Amino acid sequence: MAEKKEKLFDMFQGCSYDQWRAKVEADLKGADFNKKLVWRTNEGFNVEPVYRAENIADFKTLDSLPGEYPYVRGTRDNNDWFIRQEVLADTVSEANAVAKEIITKGVTSLGFNLQMKEAAEIAALLDGIDVEKFEINFRTCPRHAVELAKALVDYLKANGLTEKFHGSIDFNPMRRALKHGTEFPGDIKATALELLDVVKDVPALRVLAVDSFMFCNAGAYIFQELGYALAWGAEWMTMLTEAGVKADEVARRIKFNMGVSSNYFMELAKFRSARMVWAQIVEQYAPESKDACKMHVHAVTSRFNQTIYDAHVNLLRSQTETMSAALAGVDSITTTPFDVPYKKPDAFSERIARNQQFLLKEESHLDKVVDPAGGSYYIETLTVSLAQEAWKLFLEVEEKGGFLACINDGSIQKAVNETSAKRHVDVARRKEILLGTNQYPNINEKAAGKIECEGNSCGCHHGSEEDGNGLSMKRAASDFEALRLATEAASNRPKVFMLTIGNLAMRLARAQFSTNFFGCAGYEIIDNLGFETVQQGVDAALEKGADVIVLCSSDDEYATLAPEAFKYLDGRAMFVVAGAPACMEDLQKEGINDFIHVRCNVLDTLKAFNAKLLK
């Protein structure tokens, strides 16, 4: 007799989408479902509040296993990844000492940025480092990539390591156009062909870089980074296969270095989309092996959303970013140290960055399950939706002549810079939240004293920009940081006094809102429990030496309290009303012009206050 298996939740009655939707709309009591519950993403598509099995029933992405074409579920049958740390050193001997120290602390991938031309220099750099056990990566000026490759290959051949080495040389001649808006001064195709010839005997050495993390750090939307990364990779494929190199050889030399922002699920889906679409792109070049269609991805957590103030919040951002990349099945990860925006990372911040990955491996065991997001109705939908949007952008680039043509004419930089500008406005208006910067700031924190580098030195970018025709690398927080630094530099720190009166709930809520608002500029905040009359409140504010008095009450009470307070104050301090009451026009006729509320551009409003208050 066959065993009867009880299905989970059989005792519950099924619910169709239409039934669920009807119940939700009833609970909304007339509010528009799409406006309340449907999220319009920056990536160009809508996200529904709930997904069901029928939403993904026709997805072809569900037909493969991890390690199978088109690799949406990963290129391997495991989820282990290399923990990479950049070795910050000025000399070969110093870099060797640092590298030997950090490999004893769990690092499995090393990143070097040194100009080397001789095998002896490579030997000195890697002395005491077992090349078979660690991934070795080099960043260098693209004009010297061939010299570096020759030196590395000579070293590997001399030591019998050509089959055992795995790593990369970051040949990125596109960096000049992206950063400065000027074309590479050499022949990219000729250099790339020479580079491929030099490394032909080292099968696991990737030399053709797709550094799309540059777009992420410049503030690009996720679909833009993905679309441009695919176009960049296709540029390598087209350029070199047309020059006679086999598609398999070109594909296995490409390394994607991609950024990771704090949009947790979207970033997870991005890497899944990237592998899927890249596999299909490479297939069009007719490689001999399906393995050529595998995308090799190194993930780097974003710098765009890092902050100088409340810098330890950077750890929260980079932790979720690292987790997105790990769950998505990337090959290696660099977790950017939290103090990068204002100084060269020190031993403490580098240790914390390493430990962030160790937590995910050794305590959370994220390396034990391949593609844990596979089958999720939500993430599978995001994966397909992102792939569609990135594909549209990819086709646009191809129609304009390809990736190289579009960066040389500046159209890609322009598109990303427009996105960055839009995101800066969103931060200024608090549509995009940076905890500790434009929302819930640490009001009494001072940061000027900890800034050790300016402009582009050590990659800080706190308020600096690249050349006008290149990508703008201004971090999202840079404008707010400039405000606070100006406050710190001023001879007087403005005092903002909360005149709380009337309705208890409203005055407390508006005092909290106003504290966060003016705290973003680093002003001193004087909060209060409440006053019986506006005269008492104004007198107390003037006694404290307040520069700004913020009236915090309810909309109904503002009609009488605001004119009374404004008249009694008589210009002895700036007067602000917290909120946008219906009587605003009447108050403006009384001469009251300063209102702060959720529709304000916080940044522009605070700039105006700074201009009036700082001496």
Side-chain angles (χ1 to χ4, degrees):
M1 183 176 178
E3 180 183 356
K4 182 179 179 180
K5 293 185 178 180
E6 182 180 357
K7 291 186 178 180
L8 194 62
F9 301 134
D10 265 1
M11 67 288 295
F12 296 102
Q13 184 179 356
C15 176
S16 69
Y17 176 80
D18 290 338
Q19 289 174 312
W20 175 85
R21 176 73 177 256
K23 173 60 176 170
V24 171
E25 289 182 336
D27 290 344
L28 287 173
K29 298 178 181 178
D32 187 277
F33 178 90
N34 290 322
K35 289 183 178 179
K36 284 289 185 180
L37 297 179
V38 176
W39 167 35
R40 180 65 179 177
T41 69
N42 290 327
E43 318 316 319
F45 56 87
N46 292 337
V47 171
E48 298 289 332
V50 66
Y51 288 94
R52 299 162 57 93
E54 57 260 35
N55 294 112
I56 66 171
D58 298 328
F59 285 5
K60 296 181 180 179
T61 56
L62 307 177
D63 296 337
S64 64
L65 295 173
E68 293 182 357
Y69 180 91
Y71 309 111
V72 64
R73 303 203 62 197
T75 58
R76 312 181 302 279
D77 60 2
N78 66 77
N79 198 41
D80 200 6
W81 70 88
F82 288 107
I83 296 175
R84 179 164 162 182
Q85 181 174 327
E86 304 303 318
V87 177
L88 305 178
D90 297 323
T91 66
V92 169
S93 59
E94 183 185 353
N96 173 257
V98 172
K100 286 195 292 187
E101 178 185 3
I102 63 177
I103 61 176
T104 66
K105 302 180 185 300
V107 169
T108 53
S109 175
L110 298 168
F112 297 102
N113 188 0
L114 293 167
Q115 303 300 327
M116 291 174 289
K117 302 179 182 179
E118 304 293 337
E121 293 177 296
I122 300 293
L125 178 71
L126 300 179
D127 180 49
I129 299 173
D130 190 341
V131 173
E132 295 183 45
K133 294 181 179 178
F134 302 98
E135 184 188 59
I136 309 297
N137 305 279
F138 298 91
R139 290 180 65 82
T140 186
C141 172
R143 288 177 293 177
H144 302 304
V146 172
E147 295 173 334
L148 173 60
K150 288 179 179 177
L152 177 59
V153 171
D154 287 346
Y155 165 79
L156 296 176
K157 287 182 175 179
N159 291 276
L161 295 170
T162 54
E163 297 294 325
K164 300 172 183 178
F165 177 88
H166 51 286
S168 65
I169 293 174
D170 193 80
F171 175 57
N172 178 7
M174 286 66 162
R175 185 184 304 136
R176 185 183 181 95
L178 289 171
K179 291 187 71 174
H180 308 293
T182 55
E183 297 183 23
F184 181 68
D187 187 328
I188 294 177
K189 182 191 295 185
T191 305
L193 288 170
E194 184 179 3
L195 193 57
L196 292 182
D197 182 63
V198 168
V199 304
K200 64 180 182 295
D201 296 325
V202 188
L205 174 55
R206 296 178 180 266
V207 294
L208 304 174
V210 175
D211 288 339
S212 67
F213 69 88
M214 297 178 69
F215 300 122
C216 181
N217 288 341
Y221 291 140
I222 292 172
F223 86 96
Q224 288 180 309
E225 184 195 358
L226 178 53
Y228 293 142
L230 295 170
W232 193 336
E235 184 73 38
W236 283 127
M237 292 295 298
T238 301
M239 178 191 299
L240 296 172
T241 54
E242 288 181 350
V245 184
K246 290 184 177 180
D248 299 71
E249 175 65 9
V250 180
R252 74 186 179 108
R253 299 298 180 181
I254 298 175
K255 184 169 186 177
F256 287 81
N257 301 300
M258 303 183 75
V260 198
S261 73
S262 293
N263 195 332
Y264 181 73
F265 290 112
M266 199 77 75
E267 286 289 358
L268 198 165
K270 178 186 76 178
F271 292 109
R272 301 176 87 248
S273 300
R275 288 192 298 264
M276 176 179 66
V277 181
W278 178 245
Q280 295 174 70
I281 289 173
V282 174
E283 189 179 33
Q284 302 310 306
Y285 293 87
E288 296 176 0
S289 170
K290 286 285 187 182
D291 284 347
C293 300
K294 292 181 178 180
M295 176 186 253
H296 190 92
V297 181
H298 172 65
V300 187
T301 62
S302 178
R303 295 189 179 196
F304 180 74
N305 59 17
Q306 287 194 317
T307 61
I308 294 175
Y309 287 91
D310 217 349
H312 289 97
V313 180
N314 294 333
L315 294 169
L316 304 180
R317 300 183 183 106
S318 60
Q319 188 68 21
T320 65
E321 292 164 2
T322 304
M323 191 172 176
S324 293
L327 290 174
V330 302
D331 298 282
S332 56
I333 303 174
T334 295
T335 301
T336 306
F338 73 89
D339 54 356
V340 160
Y342 55 89
K343 66 191 290 289
K344 179 180 178 180
D346 57 25
F348 173 75
S349 63
E350 289 183 333
R351 177 188 176 191
I352 293 296
R354 292 192 299 268
N355 287 349
Q356 288 179 262
Q357 295 196 50
F358 297 151
L359 284 170
L360 298 180
K361 273 195 177 187
E362 306 302 330
E363 295 192 22
S364 301
H365 305 297
L366 298 192
D367 59 334
K368 305 302 182 187
V369 181
V370 184
D371 190 31
S376 161
Y377 308 145
Y378 177 47
I379 295 176
E380 292 290 0
T381 302
L382 290 183
T383 299
V384 171
S385 299
L386 266 176
Q388 291 171 342
E389 295 303 318
W391 183 247
K392 292 176 187 176
L393 186 58
F394 172 84
L395 293 178
E396 287 179 17
V397 173
E398 291 300 299
E399 288 171 2
K400 294 177 181 177
F403 182 79
L404 185 58
C406 287
I407 62 170
N408 283 341
D409 70 17
S411 58
I412 287 178
Q413 296 91 314
K414 180 182 178 182
V416 173
N417 288 343
E418 287 174 352
T419 297
S420 177
K422 170 64 165 57
R423 292 188 67 186
H424 275 83
V425 172
D426 287 347
V427 170
R429 302 184 69 88
R430 285 180 174 170
K431 290 181 66 177
E432 184 171 336
I433 299 299
L434 283 175
L435 191 65
T437 297
N438 68 349
Q439 186 69 287
Y440 305 119
N442 182 349
I443 294 169
N444 295 317
E445 180 184 5
K446 305 294 183 185
K450 70 180 183 182
I451 297 174
E452 296 181 5
C453 51
E454 296 292 335
N456 295 331
S457 59
C458 77
C460 290
H461 306 307
H462 57 81
S464 66
E465 293 191 53
E466 299 293 347
D467 293 354
N469 296 322
L471 294 172
S472 169
M473 305 305 285
K474 285 181 62 177
R475 290 176 296 102
S478 59
D479 294 322
F480 277 96
E481 289 166 354
L483 274 177
R484 291 199 63 170
L485 290 171
T487 300
E488 285 188 43
S491 58
N492 65 307
R493 182 188 181 192
K495 294 181 179 181
V496 179
F497 187 95
M498 302 299 156
L499 200 169
T500 51
I501 188 171
N503 182 287
L504 179 61
M506 290 304 301
R507 77 190 191 200
L508 291 178
R510 281 178 161 155
Q512 181 63 55
F513 172 84
S514 302
T515 295
N516 285 329
F517 193 103
F518 285 102
C520 293
Y523 296 167
E524 179 183 346
I525 307 298
I526 305 171
D527 202 357
N528 299 280
L529 295 177
F531 298 93
E532 293 294 329
T533 66
V534 293
Q535 290 88 348
Q536 290 177 354
V538 170
D539 289 341
L542 295 176
E543 184 179 346
K544 293 286 187 179
D547 300 287
V548 179
I549 298 175
V550 184
L551 183 63
C552 301
S553 189
S554 65
D555 285 5
D556 292 339
E557 293 169 298
Y558 280 146
T560 56
L561 293 177
E564 182 182 353
F566 182 70
K567 183 177 180 180
Y568 182 72
L569 181 60
D570 194 24
R572 290 176 286 178
M574 294 185 67
F575 183 72
V576 178
V577 172
C583 62
M584 183 185 293
E585 289 187 8
D586 293 331
L587 297 181
Q588 289 172 331
K589 292 176 182 178
E590 298 279 348
I592 301 171
N593 296 312
D594 291 318
F595 298 83
I596 58 171
H597 46 82
V598 293
R599 295 190 299 277
C600 279
N601 184 310
V602 181
L603 179 65
D604 287 348
T605 303
L606 291 176
K607 281 183 177 179
F609 277 101
N610 261 16
K612 297 174 183 177
L613 295 170
L614 300 188
K615 300 176 182 178

